[in-house]
Amino acid sequence: KEREIVGFYLSSHPLKTFPIISWLEHTSFADALAMTKQVTSLKEPMVVCCGLMQSFKVINTKKGDRMAFAQFEDLSGNAELIIFPSTFAKVEILLGSHHVFVIKGVLDITAQNTCKIKVNELIPAETLSQDFSMIKTVTLGLPATVTEGLLGSLKEKLTPGSIPLQLAFTENDQLLLLMTSQKITPTPELFQDLSTRGIKLQVGI
């Protein structure tokens, strides 16, 4: 309630309290809004965003179904989420018990001045932080200098599993992505350990 009381956050923004968000491959609300102005077709782009819910309002459709409009913010700006009845039925209980969410949906390209997202899925950041089974890909960004010791240490740390693993590295001033044959089991402990070793993490859901 820091912002409500004094107008700003005294400690840090709530989004920064979840390390998984810093590792997650996602789009800021400001960049999402910019995307709507660059779309040249009628196809609405898919996005993954992260945000702090400020408020939500439930309404009834003409058919009597319940849906909601929610106001969110991230470090770049604000967004309005449109939660249609089929999705709202799945997430209504979450809206009352969580505040920070990972948002999966499509951009409303008719909104040129406000970021509007038609929600397909809302995942509480707390849930994602504890349940890494939702992760579909892991990319490890290797440091500029890669030693045999580092690679050997990585091999020891990575537990075999079912999640595809990519390595990102720079060669001749070009960023390269290498899909490995190894699949791993991601855990919070593994990610924290890799972060302390200078490995940049990026996960996709």
Side-chain angles (χ1 to χ4, degrees), residues 31 34 38 45 47 67 85 103 130 152 160 162 173 181 192 194 198 201:
D31 287 343
Q38 298 169 357
V47 291
M67 63 174 289
I103 305 149
Q130 298 166 3
S162 60
D173 296 326
S181 59
Q192 289 286 3
L194 293 176
L201 290 156

Side-chain angles (χ1 to χ4, degrees), residues 154-179:
L154 275 178
K155 189 173 182 179
E156 291 178 0
K157 290 289 182 181
L158 299 176
T159 304
S162 60
I163 307 303
L165 172 67
Q166 290 188 123
L167 298 179
F169 57 96
T170 301
E171 187 172 297
N172 296 327
D173 296 326
Q174 287 189 326
L175 178 63
L176 303 176
L177 283 177
L178 174 66
M179 176 64 73

Side-chain angles (χ1 to χ4, degrees), residues 114-155:
T114 304
C115 176
K116 291 188 178 182
I117 302 172
K118 301 175 183 178
V119 177
N120 292 333
E121 189 175 359
L122 281 179
I123 306 170
E126 291 172 323
T127 301
L128 186 59
S129 297
Q130 298 166 3
D131 183 6
F132 275 36
S133 65
M134 298 182 187
I135 293 174
K136 295 181 180 178
T137 61
V138 174
T139 301
L140 302 183
L142 301 179
T145 302
V146 180
T147 64
E148 290 186 10
L150 175 62
L151 293 177
S153 177
L154 275 178
K155 189 173 182 179

